[in-house]
């Protein structure tokens, strides 16, 4: 940068600060203040940025998934963390509940939990006030719901024991494991109150007796009044009879009142006065007995107030986290990981001194994702995506109901849209995109930035999506800080920004005497007063609203101030502009990067795609030519731009074509990789099927062999049995024959059993004692033997000599 140019920019920077302070009345930010810490909580600039980015509208989307009244109210005010540790804690909570519901199929049931009424009851009890029946029932329902949720969480934790998910669920179990559900309080309330909150007779003996007395007096009073003419009624808490009005005035008795038209008198007969007085006393006794019961129940709540409040807090906290998790699944989002906000490096410092910046790769599209400090691949605008998903649900619902007509649906959606419409020019583009977005969803963009980049300058034509890019990126950062999933492809990486500050839109104020330019300056000064080295700053149309040369110089001075960091600086800046001179900052300072929104010159329409490393062109002359403007006028305009500008535009066109070529090639490679992955999965499945079929074939063979063996065994079993029987018969015959031969040999030898000796008789299958010997050795000689108590006569041929014994 030349010395003259540096002096001009420095003078404009001084003018910028002085002019803004004159308009806003704010003091100049001094050098000493640059090192002072900035507190971002509830600063006007932060709140203005949230409104500009439509953060409340996104909270409304998330709140659709909350189940309790207090949960919805809390989601509408989602807290935004200011440090990395807190952001990571919120993300862990959301991830734990998401895994609990999606992978462990745990149903977090918040039904019947009256959080709003329970909260009011606890506040009243903390001040010593008596709780009525409906409030006590709300407290009981909260304790029941908290206990139910506690069981669900602890059951999932037990199921995950021994796995990596056990520690994953610790963020949930730590809140619920020590929670006290106080079933005795719930039991006492349920026993004393009906479902409608009325105190039941069984609540106390005193109340039962008082109400019994009250009913008795009422019955006596009604029986008394039935003896009088007129209809029995009640007026001002006293029973009476209704009589038609007459000219003579009311009949004898106490006139309690008249009908609205004066056509009837409410008369309390003198005989009923004493009973009505007794009735009033009985009612007072019953009311006092009811109060005693309510005070006793209130006392139990007060005694356990801290535990009950903790249970209510846990229910609301889990409802908020569950809403974040369910919303993330609805949009198909990814939870981010965080890193510290990068600080200005040595390369940037050298570049600011005029040295040539080091060569580096473009900010996005390289594939080296580990080098990114910001990684938002295929980021979709969260609000536009939400509207698209709602439209899809509505269309599906109408189709189920048999309703058709896409135009009628779009018209109905515009009338019934729940999204707020901020009054600024940035939303004009969203309105034009409305029909296409509702039908097809927002166009995804890539926002991938390396740590050394401190500012990105986006250029390009109007209605090209520059403002939508700013808002999508700003909302994504806010969602990450709130622990909400971001609609982008994983992995999502973000620096832990402490605040998001923005100047987006074109707000003029006639009452404040602020032009477009003055309005920008006022908001930018407010942004700088609240920003520091950990802030994200979003600037729309930098340097517009004034003379182009001065506006460009002012824009350069502002951006160079922001990238320095410190008080009044920024951790990262994303800015849009129409000043092409701002794109030259990239070539003088490595802290800057260029990007542009793509424009289809053939269709004369933006594609809403973001091109990195390429400065944008206005395309005004090309658009004018496409719209039919006289070619001679267009040619004269091109000549007035000069050859240098034409050369620059030509170079940019070549860069855009080269970038598109790279992008197309990358998409083709990704498609091929996806196809390859698909083929690999198919091959793996085929191998699994083949292995399964082979195993099945082997199994069937084994089963067939087993069946054949079993059949053969069944066929051989009777044959084997028959052979066994025949063998046993043969063996028995052989044994008999052998015994007979031995006996014959003994007989021949003259053997006779002696009285008292033992012999074996095969016919009896027993050894018996001889009590009378044979008269001879003949086979036919009789021998008397004893078997037990029986005497049996057998022949010599039937007895056998025991083995191992002599005669």
């Amino acid at each position: 940068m030349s010395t003259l140019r540096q002096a001009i920019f420095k003078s404009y920077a001084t003018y910028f600060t002085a002019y803004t302070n004159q308009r806003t009345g704010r003091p100049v930010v001094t050098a000493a203040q640059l090192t002072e810490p900035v507190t971002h909580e509830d600063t006007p600039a932060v709140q203005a940025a949230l409104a500009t980015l439509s953060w409340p509208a996104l909270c409304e989307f998330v709140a659709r998934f909350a189940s309790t009244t207090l949960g919805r109210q809390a989601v509408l005010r989602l807290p935004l963390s200011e440090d990395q540790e807190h952001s990571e804690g919120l993300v862990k909570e959301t991830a734990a509940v998401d895994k609990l519901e999606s992978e462990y199929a745990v149903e977090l049931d918040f039904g019947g939990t009256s959080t709003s009424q329970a909260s009011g009851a606890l506040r009243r009890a903390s001040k010593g006030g008596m709780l009525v029946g409906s409030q006590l029932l709300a407290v009981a329902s909260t304790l029941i719901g908290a206990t139910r949720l506690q069981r669900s969480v602890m059951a999932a934790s037990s199921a995950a024991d021994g796995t990596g998910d056990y520690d994953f669920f610790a963020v949930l179990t730590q809140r619920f494991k020590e929670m006290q559900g106080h079933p005795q309080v719930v039991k006492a309330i349920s026993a004393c109150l009906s479902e409608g909150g009325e105190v039941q007779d069984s609540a106390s003996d005193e109340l039962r007796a008082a109400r019994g007395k009250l009913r008795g007096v009422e019955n006596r009073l009604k029986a008394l009044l039935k003896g009088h003419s007129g209809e029995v009624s009640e007026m001002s808490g006293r029973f009476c009879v209704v009589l038609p009005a007459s000219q003579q005035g009311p009949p004898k008795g106490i006139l309690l009142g008249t009908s609205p038209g004066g056509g009837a008198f409410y008369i309390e007969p003198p005989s009923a006065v004493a009973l009505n007085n007794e009735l009033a006393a009985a009612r007072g006794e019953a009311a006092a007995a009811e109060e005693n019961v309510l005070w006793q129940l209130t006392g139990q709540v007060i005694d356990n107030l801290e535990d009950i409040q903790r249970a209510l807090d846990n229910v609301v906290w889990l409802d908020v986290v569950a809403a974040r998790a369910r919303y993330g699944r609805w949009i198909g989002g990814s939870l981010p990981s965080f890193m510290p906000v990068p600080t200005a490096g040595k390369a940037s410092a050298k570049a600011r001194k005029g040295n040539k910046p080091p060569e580096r790769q473009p900010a996005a599209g390289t594939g080296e994702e580990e080098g990114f400090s910001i990684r938002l691949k295929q980021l979709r605008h969260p609000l536009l995506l939400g509207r698209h998903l709602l439209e899809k649900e509505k269309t599906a619902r109408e189709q189920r109901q048999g309703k058709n007509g896409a135009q009628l649906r779009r018209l109905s959606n515009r009338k019934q849209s729940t999204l707020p419409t901020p009054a600024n020019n940035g939303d004009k583009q969203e309105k034009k995109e409305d029909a296409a977005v509702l039908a097809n969803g927002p166009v995804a963009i890539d926002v991938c930035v390396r740590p050394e980049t401190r500012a990105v300058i986006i250029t390009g034509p109007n209605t090209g999506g520059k403002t939508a890019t700013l808002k999508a990126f700003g909302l994504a950062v806010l969602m990450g800080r709130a622990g909400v999933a971001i609609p982008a492809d994983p992995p999502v990486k973000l620096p832990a920004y402490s605040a998001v500050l923005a100047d987006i839109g074109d707000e003029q104020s006639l009452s404040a005497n602020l032009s477009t330019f003055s309005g920008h300056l006022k908001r930018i000064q407010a942004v700088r007063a609240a920003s520091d080295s950990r802030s994200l700053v979003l600037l729309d149309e930098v340097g517009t609203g004034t003379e182009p040369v001065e506006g460009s110089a002012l824009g350069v001075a502002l951006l160079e101030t922001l990238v320095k960091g410190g008080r009044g600086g920024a951790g990262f800046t994303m800015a849009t502009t129409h000043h092409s001179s701002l794109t030259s900052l990239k070539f003088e300072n490595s802290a800057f990067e260029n990007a542009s929104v793509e424009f289809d010159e053939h269709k004369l329409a933006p594609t809403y795609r973001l091109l990195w490393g390429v400065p944008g062109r206005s395309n005004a002359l090309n658009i004018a030519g496409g719209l039919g403007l006289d070619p001679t006028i267009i040619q004269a305009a091109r000549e007035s731009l000069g050859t240098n500008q034409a050369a620059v535009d030509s170079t940019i066109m070549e860069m855009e074509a080269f970038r598109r070529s790279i992008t197309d090639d990358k998409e083709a490679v990704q498609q091929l990789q996806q196809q390859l992955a698909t083929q690999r999965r198919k091959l793996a499945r085929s191998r699994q099927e083949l292995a399964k079929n082979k195993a099945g074939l082997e199994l069937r063979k084994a089963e067939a062999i087993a069946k054949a063996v079993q059949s053969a065994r069944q066929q051989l079993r009777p044959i084997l049995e028959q052979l066994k029987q025949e063998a046993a018969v043969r063996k028995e015959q052989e044994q008999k024959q052998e015994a007979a031969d031995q006996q014959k040999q003994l007989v021949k030898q003259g053997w006779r059993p002696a009285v008292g000796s033992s012999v074996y008789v095969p016919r009896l299958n027993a050894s018996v004692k001889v009590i009378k010997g044979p008269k001879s050795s003949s086979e036919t000689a009789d021998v008397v033997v004893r078997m037990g108590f029986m005497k049996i006569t057998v022949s010599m041929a039937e007895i056998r000599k025991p083995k191992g014994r002599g005669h």
Side-chain angles (χ1 to χ4, degrees):
M1 183 183 297
S2 66
T3 305
L4 177 60
R5 189 180 181 188
Q6 288 179 347
I8 293 174
F9 283 157
K10 184 176 180 181
S11 64
Y12 276 123
T14 304
Y15 164 75
F16 161 75
T17 303
Y19 180 88
T20 305
N21 288 319
Q22 179 184 1
R23 285 290 188 180
T24 62
R26 288 191 177 91
V28 177
V29 179
T30 63
Q33 292 173 324
L34 293 177
T35 58
E36 296 179 2
V38 178
T39 302
H40 302 102
E41 296 180 1
D42 297 329
T43 60
V46 169
Q47 295 303 313
L50 296 180
T52 299
L53 296 173
S54 300
W55 175 247
L58 189 131
C59 291
E60 288 179 12
F61 274 121
V62 182
R64 295 178 67 249
F65 297 91
S67 302
T68 66
T69 302
L70 291 187
R72 283 188 289 271
Q73 293 176 2
V75 172
L76 290 175
R77 302 186 304 273
L78 278 176
L80 298 171
S81 66
E82 291 196 11
D83 58 78
Q84 182 173 344
E85 183 179 0
H86 188 197
S87 298
E88 291 172 344
L90 293 174
V91 167
K92 287 180 180 178
E93 294 171 357
T94 307
V97 172
D98 182 57
K99 183 181 285 289
L100 193 76
E101 291 187 319
S102 60
E103 297 185 19
Y104 283 76
V106 173
E107 181 181 0
L108 296 177
D109 183 10
F110 297 88
T113 306
S114 304
T115 56
S116 179
Q117 198 168 9
S119 178
L122 295 182
R123 285 197 302 271
R124 180 175 177 81
S126 67
K127 298 177 182 178
M130 186 188 74
L131 304 184
V132 298
S134 58
Q135 292 174 321
L136 289 166
L137 288 180
V139 171
S141 72
T142 298
L143 288 174
I144 292 172
T147 302
R148 184 171 58 243
L149 294 171
Q150 181 187 43
R151 290 171 181 167
S152 299
V153 170
M154 301 311 295
S157 178
S158 298
D161 194 8
T163 68
D165 293 339
Y166 182 78
D167 293 333
F168 196 77
F169 289 141
V171 66
L172 304 179
T173 56
Q174 287 174 358
R175 290 189 68 111
F176 278 93
K177 65 180 179 180
E178 301 296 337
M179 190 194 76
Q180 300 296 320
H182 290 289
Q184 77 282 0
V185 176
V186 175
K187 184 178 180 180
I189 294 174
S190 302
C192 295
L193 303 180
S194 66
E195 292 183 358
E198 295 83 10
V199 182
Q200 302 185 94
D201 292 355
S202 59
S204 71
D205 294 338
E206 179 189 5
L207 179 60
R208 184 185 296 107
R211 285 182 173 174
K213 179 180 178 181
L214 176 62
R215 285 190 289 268
V217 175
E218 286 181 350
N219 292 335
R220 286 160 53 199
L221 192 52
K222 289 177 181 178
L224 174 66
L225 293 176
K226 285 180 180 179
H228 292 74
S229 59
E231 180 185 355
V232 178
S233 183
E234 187 176 356
M235 171 67 73
S236 300
R238 300 180 73 85
F239 280 92
C240 57
V241 292
V242 182
L243 299 174
S246 64
Q247 294 181 353
Q248 289 78 19
K252 186 178 180 181
I254 300 174
L255 178 63
L256 300 180
T258 61
S259 62
F265 294 136
Y266 289 82
I267 303 298
E268 180 182 359
S271 59
V273 173
L275 283 177
N276 266 324
N277 292 339
E278 187 178 349
L279 177 64
R283 285 174 173 169
E285 293 176 4
E290 286 183 13
E291 265 195 31
N292 288 338
V293 173
L294 294 175
W295 271 116
Q296 290 174 6
L297 296 176
T298 301
Q300 294 193 40
V301 172
I302 293 175
D303 290 343
N304 302 284
L305 189 62
E306 185 177 346
D307 288 345
I308 299 174
Q309 183 65 56
R310 185 179 297 109
L312 174 62
D313 293 342
N314 284 351
V315 170
V316 176
W317 170 81
L318 188 59
D319 189 23
V320 171
V321 179
R324 301 200 308 251
R326 293 166 183 172
Y327 169 78
R329 291 197 297 272
W330 183 58
I331 64 171
S334 306
L335 289 169
S337 60
F338 296 95
M339 62 173 291
V341 179
T343 57
K346 295 181 179 179
S348 297
K350 291 181 180 179
R352 284 194 293 271
K353 295 178 181 179
N355 295 338
K356 181 181 178 181
E359 295 184 1
R360 54 190 173 93
Q361 295 174 333
T366 63
E368 296 182 9
E369 297 160 359
E370 292 303 322
F372 293 135
S373 58
I374 301 174
R375 187 191 188 278
L376 294 168
K377 287 276 189 176
Q378 295 297 292
L379 172 65
R380 291 150 291 169
H381 193 296
L383 297 182
L384 301 182
L385 177 61
R387 296 176 65 184
H388 165 64
L389 294 175
L390 287 180
E391 178 70 10
K392 283 182 62 177
E393 292 177 358
K394 181 181 177 183
T395 302
R397 186 166 56 251
E398 290 179 351
Q399 289 177 347
R400 288 194 301 268
Q401 297 172 351
K403 296 180 180 180
N404 296 314
Q407 294 180 352
L408 180 61
R409 286 196 298 271
R410 287 197 294 269
L411 178 60
S412 175
N413 182 78
R414 290 193 180 98
K415 290 181 179 180
Q416 301 177 8
S417 175
T418 59
L419 289 176
T421 306
N424 57 59
N425 285 352
D427 289 321
K428 293 180 180 179
Q429 177 62 28
E430 293 181 11
K431 291 180 181 179
K432 293 181 179 179
E433 296 170 1
D434 189 57
V437 168
L438 290 179
N440 307 314
V443 176
I445 60 174
D446 292 343
V447 181
C448 300
V449 181
R450 298 189 179 279
E452 61 269 20
T453 300
R454 303 295 302 278
V456 171
I457 300 172
I458 304 176
T459 50
N462 286 326
T463 72
K466 299 191 301 296
T467 303
T469 297
L470 285 182
K471 290 190 173 184
F473 178 54
L475 284 173
V477 172
L478 292 174
M479 293 168 75
R481 291 174 59 202
V484 179
I486 298 170
D489 291 349
V492 172
K493 294 174 61 178
L494 287 173
Y497 297 117
S498 60
V500 176
L501 303 162
D503 169 31
I504 299 176
D506 179 16
E507 296 182 0
Q508 300 185 34
S509 175
L510 297 178
S511 61
N513 192 26
L514 294 178
S515 64
T516 298
F517 179 64
S518 301
H520 274 294
L521 290 180
K522 179 180 178 181
R523 291 193 299 274
I524 288 173
Q525 184 67 354
V527 166
R528 291 194 63 225
S531 66
D532 59 16
S533 296
R534 296 180 57 239
S535 302
L536 169 64
V537 174
L538 306 173
L539 301 177
D540 191 25
E541 302 296 352
V542 174
T544 58
T546 187
E547 195 275 328
V549 175
E550 291 186 349
S552 175
L554 193 58
V556 169
L558 172 62
L559 293 175
E560 288 190 329
T561 300
L562 289 173
V563 297
K564 292 177 182 178
R567 182 72 180 272
F572 180 73
T573 302
M574 180 176 284
T576 69
T577 185
H578 282 295
H579 296 299
S580 58
S581 60
L582 269 65
T583 61
S584 63
L585 287 171
K586 171 185 177 179
F587 307 104
E588 300 170 354
N589 189 334
S590 62
F592 288 89
E593 179 59 88
N594 288 331
S596 61
V597 288
E598 188 179 43
F599 188 85
D600 190 331
E601 296 182 7
H602 300 289
K603 298 180 180 180
L604 297 179
T607 65
Y608 305 112
R609 295 173 61 187
L610 195 61
L611 302 178
W612 287 85
V614 179
R617 296 175 293 123
S618 67
N619 292 288
L621 298 182
N622 295 330
I623 294 174
L627 294 177
L629 188 65
D630 189 342
T632 59
I633 297 177
I634 296 175
Q635 182 60 33
R638 293 188 188 279
E639 292 176 356
S640 67
L641 290 175
T643 57
N644 291 335
Q645 183 62 42
V648 170
D649 286 346
S650 176
T651 302
I652 293 176
M653 290 180 63
E654 292 178 1
M655 293 174 65
E656 290 177 351
F658 181 67
R659 174 63 69 184
R660 281 194 295 270
S661 175
I662 293 177
T663 302
D664 293 342
D665 290 345
K666 182 179 179 181
E667 291 177 353
V669 170
Q670 290 177 343
Q671 291 179 356
L672 290 175
Q673 289 175 341
Q674 292 175 354
Q675 293 175 2
L676 178 60
T678 302
Q679 294 299 326
R680 285 176 176 172
R681 286 193 295 270
K682 289 182 178 180
L683 179 60
R685 284 197 296 268
S686 299
R687 288 176 177 173
Q688 292 176 354
E689 291 293 333
L690 181 61
K692 189 183 299 182
N693 293 336
K694 184 177 180 180
L697 180 61
E698 296 294 334
L699 180 61
R700 287 192 292 272
K701 286 182 180 180
E703 290 176 348
I705 294 173
K707 288 181 180 179
V709 171
Q710 183 68 18
S711 177
R713 286 177 176 173
Q714 291 176 352
Q715 294 176 4
L716 290 174
R717 187 174 291 112
I719 299 175
L720 293 174
E721 290 295 330
Q722 183 178 358
L723 292 175
K724 287 181 180 179
Q725 292 175 0
E726 292 176 354
V729 170
R730 284 197 302 271
K731 184 176 181 181
E732 183 179 0
Q733 290 176 350
E734 290 175 356
Q735 289 177 347
K736 288 181 179 179
Q737 184 62 41
E738 182 181 358
D741 292 343
Q742 291 177 355
Q743 183 62 25
K744 286 181 181 180
Q745 185 66 27
L746 290 173
V747 171
K748 288 182 182 179
Q749 295 175 357
W751 175 78
R752 288 187 295 177
V755 176
S757 63
S758 295
V759 295
Y760 177 75
V761 181
R763 177 164 62 87
L764 301 177
N765 192 26
S767 295
V768 296
K769 186 174 286 186
V770 178
I771 58 175
K772 184 179 179 180
K775 296 180 179 180
S776 67
S777 299
S778 170
E779 291 182 1
T780 59
D782 292 332
V783 180
V784 180
V785 298
R786 183 187 296 277
M787 188 176 70
F789 297 99
M790 295 184 297
K791 293 181 180 180
I792 303 173
T793 301
V794 297
S795 65
M796 282 288 291
E798 290 184 280
I799 65 176
R800 301 289 184 268
K801 184 178 179 181
K803 293 183 178 181
R805 293 188 179 186
H807 54 84

